[in-house]
Amino acid sequence: MDNLQLLISGLANGCVYGLIALGFVLIYKATEAVNFAQGDFMMLGAFITIGLTNADYMGLPFWVALPISLGIMAVLGYLLDRLVIRRMFGESQTAVVILTIALGFVIRFVAGLIWGHEPQTLENPFAGKEVSFGGLVLGMEDVAVIVVTILLTWGLYEFFNRTKLGLAMQGASQNQLAAYYMGIPVKRVQGFIWALAGGVACVAGILFAAKGAVDPSTGLMGIKAFAAAVIGGFGSLPGALAGGLIVGVIEPFASRYIAAGYSQIAPYALLLAVLIFRPHGLFSQVRVKKV
Amino acid sequence: MSLLEIENVTLKFGGLTAVDNLSFTVQQGEVFAIVGPNGAGKSTVFNLISRFYTPIQGSIVFDGHDLLAEKASDVADHGVARTFQNIELFEQATVLENLLVGRHRHRKSNFLTELFFTPSVKKQELQSRHFVEEIIDFLDLQAYREKRIAGLPYGVRKVVEVARALATDPKLLLLDEPASGLSVEETTDMRWWIDDIRRQMGITVLMVEHDMGLVSGVSDRVLAMADGAKLALGTPAEVQSDPAVIEAYLGHAA
Amino acid sequence: MRIVFKTNYMQDIRPWKDGYQLSLYLILLAVVFAAPFVIDEFYLGELTNVLIWAIAGLGLMILTGHTGQASLGHAAFLAMGCYANIILIESGVPFMLAFPLAGILTGIIGMVIAIPALRLHGIYLAIATMAMSILVDDIIVLTEPWTGGVGGKFAPPVNVFGIMIDRWGTPREFYYLCLVVAVVVTLGYINLLRAPLGRSFIAVRDSEVSAQAMGIDVARTKAISFAISCGVTGLAGALMGLFAGAFNNETFSVIISIQLLMMIVIGGLGSIHGAFFGAIVVGFLPQFLSISKEWVGAALGGADVAIPGLEFGVFGVILILFILFEPMGIYGRWFKIRTWFELFPFYRKDMFKRQKSYLKTERLR
C-alpha cells in the first residue's frame, strides 16, 4: 500500500515533469530548437495564476483565473517568438539555445522582482480534498494532475499527427525551404507553437503550484524535465510523458530506498546513463546521417 | 599496375541493396569515371572506400593494403583523398587553413612540441605552407587565400574541395561530382585540371560524374552503374553506346 | 588605411601580423604588469578575478569555441581543480607541484569523460554536461570526508619560490601569480592554434566527416581537446579557490557552468580575446551595477535600491542583446571596428553578413 502511495505521488510529479518535457518536445518538433527556458515558463505560469487567484493578490475565482492565465502565457509565448526568437530565424540552433538560457535568467529575475523570492502556493479548489479508490486515498490534486496530463498529451499527439496544422509544423521542422514551397507560413506556425508551449507550461505550473510551493528558482527543475525528454527521445510526445513518469517515479523510490544524498542524484545519473547508452532515447526518431 | 581493387563488394541498408556484388579495378595513372542514374550507388562506393560504411562482403585493396582493416581516419594515411558532393569544407576557416588541414597526415609533431612551437614545428609549418602554395598556384586560388569559406561562391568552394584533397599528397584522388553546379567555363577549367592532375602530378583519379562531356573528355575508362550493380565497363565511347546503359538512362523502346 | 605587405611565410606563421600589432600587445603586457603599482588594492583584486575568469574562459573556449563541443558543465572541472589543489597541499605537497598536478589530474578526468561524450552532439552533449555538473555538485557533498562537504574548505597561503602568497595578505604577489598563469596559458593556446593540433580542433568543429577524410582521428582529437580544456579549467579552479579563500560545493554550481558559457559567448566564441572580454564583463559587472544603483538611487531621491539577482538578470539581457545583434560577441564587434579603420574608406557594409540558412532536420536524413 505504502509503495502504491509512493507510486501515485511519483506519477503525479512525473506528470508535471512530463508536461514541461512536452513543452520542450513541442518546440523541438516544430523548430528543432530547444527552449531551455521552458521550466521558467512553467514557473511564470504558476506565478501569473497565483497573482490572479490568491487572496494576497487579485483574488479572482480559480476557474475565472485559469483561462486568463493560460491566455496570458500563450500570448507571452507568441510574443517571445515574434519579438526575439524570430530574429534568429535562419541562424544556427546553438545560438537559439544560448538565447533561451539567457531568457531563463531574465524571466527568473523579473519573476523575483514582481512576486518576491518567497515560496508561494496556489489556492485552488482541489486543495485538501481526497478521493478514495479501493483502499487508496489520493489527493484530489494528484488525480487532477494525472488526468489533465493524460488528456493534454493525447490531445497534442492527435494534433500533431492528424490535423493539417500539426503536419505543417512537422514539415516546417524537417525542411523549412520545402515547407515554404508547400505554402506553409513557417514563421506564423513557429509563433503558434511557442504560444502552445507557453500554454502547456502554464498548465504544468498551475498543477505544480497547486500541490507544492513555487519560487522564482523553481524553473530549474526544468533540468529534470530534460531527463524526461531525453529518455523519451527528443521527438516523441508520448515519449516525453513516459520519460517524465519514469523520472517522477524514480525520485520518491530512490529517496525511500537509497541513502539520502544519493537519492537526489538519481534523475541525473539516469539521464547520463540514457545519454551514454541510448542517446536517442527509448522512443528514438533518429536514423543514420547520410553523407 | 592496379592501384585499387574492388572485389565482390556488397552493401545493404536494411532491405535496400545499395551496392550489389560490385567488382572493378583502377589502374595507376588513369582517370576512371563512375556514371549512372541517381541512386545507383556511386557515392556509396566512395563512402565504402573512405570507410564510412563497411560492406557485408567483398574486399577493397588499395596499393596492396586491405582497406577494410582500416578505420576512416587512417585511409588518408595510405594516400587516398576525396572530395564531397555537398561541399564539406571547414566553413569558419580560411581557404589557406582548410588546405593546411589537408597536410595533417604528414604531421610529425605532437601536442608537447606544438605547445612550445619548437623549431621543428616551425620548419614543418613552413614546409606545409610551401606545399600548399604550389596547389594554390595550380588551381588559381591566390585571390581567395585569406577568405573565409563562408563567404565564397559555390564554384570556388568546389575548387577548394579539390585543392584540399590534393594537399594531402595522395596517390588516388576520389572526386565526387566535381563539376556539379559549375558553369560551362568552370567545368572546362575542371576538365583541364583533372588532366593536369593525372599528367603532371601522377595522381590516379577516380571520379563520380554526371556530366558526360567531362567524362568522355578526360576519362580513360568508365564504369556504368545502376541499382548498385555494374552495367558496363570500358572506354567512354564503349559505355555510352552500350544498350544496357542506354536502357538504364532512357528506358527501352516502346 | 593599413596595408600589410607580406614577403615571407613567417609573417603568417608568427602570432602577430606586423611590428605595429606586436608593439601594441607589448604595451598591453607592460600596462598589465605595471598595474599593481598604479591602481588600488580593491581594483587589483577585481583585476585578479578577471584574470582567473579569463583562464577559465580560455579553458572552455578550447572545447566549445574551437572544437565545437558545447559544455554546460565546466564548473565541475573548476571544482575538481580547486579541490585537487587544496587536498594535495593539505597532504604536504608543495604548491609549485600541487598546482600543475591539479591541472593534470583534472585534464585526465576530462579525457575520461570525453569517452562517453564522443557520441553526443550538440544539444545532447550540452544536457549531458549540465547533468554532470549537477552530479559533481552532489558528489562533492557526498564525499564529505575529503571535500568538507557543505562546510567547505579553506585555502591556505601558498609557497611560490619561497614567497608566501595569499590573496588578502599579499594581493600584489597573488595578482602576479594569476597574471603569469594567464600569460602562459594564452601563449600555449596561441601556439596550438597555429599548429596542426589547433587546426584539427577547428576541423572537428566544422565538419567531422571531412576531418576524418583528411586523416584526423576525430575521437582522439576530441579527447585531447577535452583533456587540455579541462586541465586549463582545473588550473583556473585552483586559483579561484585561492582567491575565494573559502569555498564549498555551491561555489561551483551548475549556474556557474552556465555563466561561464554565457561569458565566452558574450566575449566572442572562437577567439582568445573572447575569453578576456567575457571575463572583463563578468568581473566588472557587479561593480558597474552597484555604481549605477547609487546613481539611480541618488537620482530617485536617495533610496537604496537593493535588487537580488540583478546581476544575472542584467547578464542575461546583455547576452540576449549580443546574440540578437552581434553574435560574434565583443571580439566580433571589435574586429569589425578595427577592420573598418584598416580598410577605410573601402569597408563594405555587409562584409561580415552571416549566411542565413533554411533549417533542415538533423533527425531524419
Side-chain angles (χ1 to χ4, degrees):
Chain A
M1 249 334 106
D2 199 24
N3 277 344
L4 213 43
Q5 289 288 150
L6 275 184
L7 185 67
I8 302 289
S9 87
L11 282 177
N13 269 341
C15 283
V16 177
Y17 293 144
L19 281 177
I20 303 177
L22 220 58
F24 283 136
V25 172
L26 274 177
I27 294 181
Y28 185 75
K29 260 175 106 74
T31 63
E32 266 204 27
V34 180
N35 177 19
F36 264 68
Q38 193 68 20
D40 300 297
F41 273 13
M42 176 209 91
M43 179 268 297
L44 199 59
F47 268 112
I48 289 177
T49 321
I50 288 177
L52 289 172
T53 322
N54 278 18
D56 299 345
Y57 298 99
M58 284 181 70
L60 295 172
F62 180 78
W63 297 106
V64 172
L66 188 64
I68 297 180
S69 66
L70 277 175
I72 295 179
M73 276 310 290
V75 167
L76 276 178
Y78 177 77
L79 281 178
L80 193 63
D81 175 64
R82 188 79 180 70
L83 298 173
V84 179
I85 310 284
R86 204 175 284 192
R87 285 178 189 272
M88 301 294 295
F89 196 79
E91 306 276 356
S92 78
Q93 298 310 311
T94 336
V96 179
V97 164
I98 296 177
L99 185 64
T100 56
I101 294 177
L103 228 42
F105 274 69
V106 174
I107 294 177
R108 236 167 297 164
F109 169 66
V110 169
L113 267 184
I114 301 179
W115 290 287
H117 290 270
E118 291 302 311
Q120 301 177 47
T121 332
L122 179 64
E123 291 157 18
N124 66 84
F126 305 120
K129 298 216 194 98
E130 285 170 354
V131 166
S132 268
F133 206 74
L136 277 177
V137 174
L138 305 171
M140 193 60 170
E141 300 120 333
D142 286 344
V143 176
V145 169
I146 297 175
V147 169
V148 169
T149 308
I150 293 179
L151 285 176
L152 199 52
T153 311
W154 179 79
L156 286 170
Y157 180 77
E158 291 295 310
F159 168 73
F160 259 94
N161 288 321
R162 304 288 162 104
T163 67
K164 217 159 141 187
L165 186 54
L167 289 172
M169 282 181 188
Q170 293 204 53
S173 83
Q174 288 179 19
N175 194 324
Q176 272 179 357
L177 193 53
Y180 268 118
Y181 284 147
M182 293 300 113
I184 297 173
V186 175
K187 288 185 185 169
R188 224 181 296 166
V189 162
Q190 208 169 299
F192 184 78
I193 205 73
W194 276 85
L196 197 56
V200 171
C202 187
V203 173
I206 293 173
L207 292 173
F208 182 79
K211 300 180 9 126
V214 272
D215 70 271
S217 63
T218 309
L220 291 172
M221 76 154 62
I223 301 174
K224 286 192 223 165
F226 263 137
V230 169
I231 291 171
F234 236 103
S236 160
L237 287 169
L241 180 58
L245 292 175
I246 293 175
V247 173
V249 165
I250 284 190
E251 272 192 322
F253 280 101
S255 70
R256 170 63 91 79
Y257 293 110
I258 307 179
Y262 289 98
S263 59
Q264 68 206 65
I265 65 177
Y268 307 110
L270 176 64
L271 170 60
L272 279 176
V274 171
L275 280 174
I276 294 172
F277 297 110
R278 279 210 68 125
H280 297 295
L282 305 172
F283 303 84
S284 120
Q285 269 205 351
V286 181
R287 316 275 183 262
V288 184
K289 174 176 175 171
K290 270 183 71 172
V291 185
Chain B
M1 189 205 103
S2 49
L3 192 60
L4 178 69
E5 286 160 22
I6 311 264
E7 255 184 68
N8 301 113
V9 165
T10 305
L11 179 67
K12 295 193 198 220
F13 289 116
L16 172 71
T17 307
V19 176
D20 193 0
N21 213 0
L22 187 67
S23 304
F24 66 92
T25 31
V26 179
Q27 303 295 325
Q28 183 158 34
E30 71 171 342
V31 176
F32 189 99
I34 303 181
V35 300
N38 280 316
K42 313 185 293 290
S43 284
T44 316
V45 172
F46 273 20
N47 285 335
L48 283 165
I49 300 174
S50 297
R51 301 292 292 113
F52 291 132
Y53 301 139
T54 304
I56 57 179
Q57 74 169 57
S59 75
I60 302 179
V61 177
F62 174 74
D63 203 19
H65 301 282
D66 176 19
L67 278 190
L68 292 181
E70 307 285 351
K71 50 181 195 192
S73 44
D74 289 332
V75 172
D77 285 334
H78 288 287
V80 180
R82 70 169 290 181
T83 65
F84 291 88
Q85 186 179 346
N86 294 317
I87 314 271
E88 290 272 343
L89 289 171
F90 308 124
E91 296 277 318
Q92 298 308 319
T94 61
V95 170
L96 188 58
E97 283 164 3
N98 269 266
L99 300 192
L100 285 171
V101 173
R103 299 297 300 159
H104 193 91
R105 78 155 172 132
H106 300 278
R107 175 191 185 213
K108 301 271 180 304
S109 48
N110 59 44
F111 161 63
L112 279 172
T113 52
E114 288 176 17
L115 187 65
F116 294 105
F117 214 78
T118 61
S120 68
V121 174
K122 183 170 125 180
K123 188 159 156 238
Q124 183 183 271
E125 284 295 301
L126 283 168
Q127 281 171 341
S128 298
R129 179 62 191 270
H130 192 83
F131 191 91
V132 158
E133 283 294 332
E134 306 268 311
I135 296 175
I136 290 178
D137 228 15
F138 171 61
L139 291 172
D140 290 324
L141 286 170
Q142 295 93 335
Y144 303 105
R145 233 190 240 112
E146 301 288 340
K147 299 230 157 61
R148 292 217 154 172
I149 306 288
L152 292 179
Y154 184 79
V156 178
R157 290 191 207 197
K158 283 268 330 180
V159 179
V160 175
E161 273 265 344
V162 177
R164 190 180 60 168
L166 285 176
T168 64
D169 199 11
K171 297 184 198 141
L172 174 66
L173 181 62
L174 303 175
L175 295 175
D176 201 341
E177 302 203 22
S180 85
L182 294 187
S183 67
V184 176
E185 273 175 34
E186 289 165 335
T187 311
T188 319
D189 283 340
M190 187 61 78
R191 178 194 147 154
W192 291 116
W193 278 327
I194 294 177
D195 206 39
D196 282 342
I197 289 172
R198 179 252 302 265
R199 279 183 217 283
Q200 290 176 12
M201 299 186 175
I203 299 175
T204 311
V205 176
L206 172 60
M207 70 178 184
V208 166
E209 190 42 73
H210 283 293
D211 185 331
M212 292 311 292
L214 175 62
V215 167
S216 22
V218 77
S219 334
D220 296 317
R221 287 193 299 152
V222 177
L223 166 72
M225 282 177 71
D227 296 317
K230 181 196 303 194
L231 267 190
L233 174 61
T235 66
E238 283 168 15
V239 169
Q240 273 178 303
S241 52
D242 185 302
V245 172
I246 295 176
E247 185 174 328
Y249 271 101
L250 298 174
H252 46 234
Chain C
M1 189 172 173
R2 199 165 123 233
I3 300 176
V4 180
F5 197 56
K6 297 193 186 170
T7 51
N8 65 53
Y9 297 141
M10 277 316 292
Q11 286 176 294
D12 276 340
I13 294 177
R14 67 176 185 220
W16 54 91
K17 240 190 342 191
D18 55 5
Y20 177 66
Q21 209 186 47
L22 175 64
S23 47
L24 285 182
Y25 279 117
L26 287 176
I27 293 176
L28 177 65
L29 215 55
V31 165
V32 168
F33 267 95
F37 302 103
V38 179
I39 59 183
D40 73 31
E41 215 174 274
F42 175 70
Y43 281 104
L44 194 63
E46 294 288 293
L47 206 53
T48 314
N49 191 26
V50 167
L51 283 174
I52 297 177
W53 275 101
I55 300 172
L58 286 173
L60 185 56
M61 191 67 83
I62 297 175
L63 189 63
T64 303
H66 282 110
T67 319
Q69 309 299 302
S71 170
L72 276 173
H74 257 51
F77 301 110
L78 285 173
M80 285 182 212
C82 181
Y83 278 98
N85 184 42
I86 295 296
I87 291 175
L88 283 171
I89 291 179
E90 285 180 354
S91 319
V93 180
F95 173 73
M96 294 299 291
L97 201 57
F99 184 62
L101 212 55
I104 293 175
L105 280 171
T106 316
I108 294 176
I109 299 179
M111 196 148 70
V112 168
I113 288 184
I115 299 174
L118 287 175
R119 358 174 163 183
L120 299 171
H121 288 88
I123 188 70
Y124 292 107
L125 184 59
I127 296 176
T129 48
M130 198 159 70
M132 177 201 70
S133 186
I134 298 177
L135 226 53
V136 167
D137 189 333
D138 286 321
I139 289 175
I140 293 176
V141 174
L142 284 172
T143 53
E144 203 197 313
W146 292 289
T147 63
V150 187
K153 281 189 159 317
F154 297 93
V158 289
N159 190 333
V160 179
F161 294 129
I163 314 170
M164 290 308 284
I165 298 184
D166 93 86
R167 193 258 167 145
W168 296 110
T170 57
R172 200 179 287 182
E173 282 75 3
F174 188 70
Y175 169 78
Y176 279 126
L177 174 64
C178 298
L179 182 59
V180 165
V181 174
V183 168
V184 166
V185 169
T186 308
L187 288 177
Y189 200 166
I190 291 175
N191 277 345
L192 284 183
L193 281 183
R194 57 185 176 135
L197 188 62
R199 284 195 291 266
S200 67
F201 287 162
I202 297 176
V204 166
R205 175 189 72 190
D206 287 343
S207 173
E208 278 186 34
V209 160
S210 59
Q212 279 187 312
M214 295 292 117
I216 295 173
D217 185 336
V218 170
R220 198 152 163 269
T221 306
K222 281 188 190 175
I224 295 178
S225 179
F226 258 97
I228 300 175
S229 168
C230 299
V232 170
T233 310
L235 291 178
L239 288 175
M240 220 178 253
L242 293 176
F243 183 75
F247 54 89
N248 67 356
N249 62 309
E250 273 177 49
T251 320
F252 304 111
S253 70
V254 72
I255 299 286
I256 300 288
S257 292
I258 300 178
Q259 186 178 305
L260 194 56
L261 182 67
M262 285 165 65
M263 182 187 100
I264 64 171
V265 172
I266 290 179
L269 209 55
S271 64
I272 294 180
H273 305 76
F276 285 95
F277 285 134
I280 291 175
V281 172
V282 165
F284 285 117
L285 189 64
Q287 226 13 59
F288 176 75
L289 284 178
S290 67
I291 292 177
S292 325
K293 262 194 273 190
E294 282 169 26
W295 185 80
V296 168
L300 294 181
D304 183 29
V305 191
I307 311 177
L310 180 63
E311 266 165 49
F312 284 115
V314 172
F315 198 56
V317 171
I318 294 177
L319 181 59
I320 293 174
L321 290 174
F322 265 102
I323 293 234
L324 289 181
F325 302 113
E326 186 47 86
M328 283 169 69
I330 298 179
Y331 177 65
R333 181 56 36 161
W334 164 264
F335 189 75
K336 290 179 190 175
I337 294 177
R338 205 178 67 191
T339 314
W340 189 88
F341 276 110
E342 284 177 5
L343 289 182
F344 184 85
F346 296 116
Y347 183 85
R348 298 184 306 280
K349 203 163 75 91
D350 280 334
M351 257 182 91
F352 294 98
K353 196 169 171 69
R354 287 170 65 81
Q355 273 278 28
K356 298 214 179 191
S357 56
Y358 289 105
L359 170 72
K360 206 150 179 236
T361 182
E362 291 272 319
R363 287 172 281 154
L364 306 152
R365 280 197 183 223

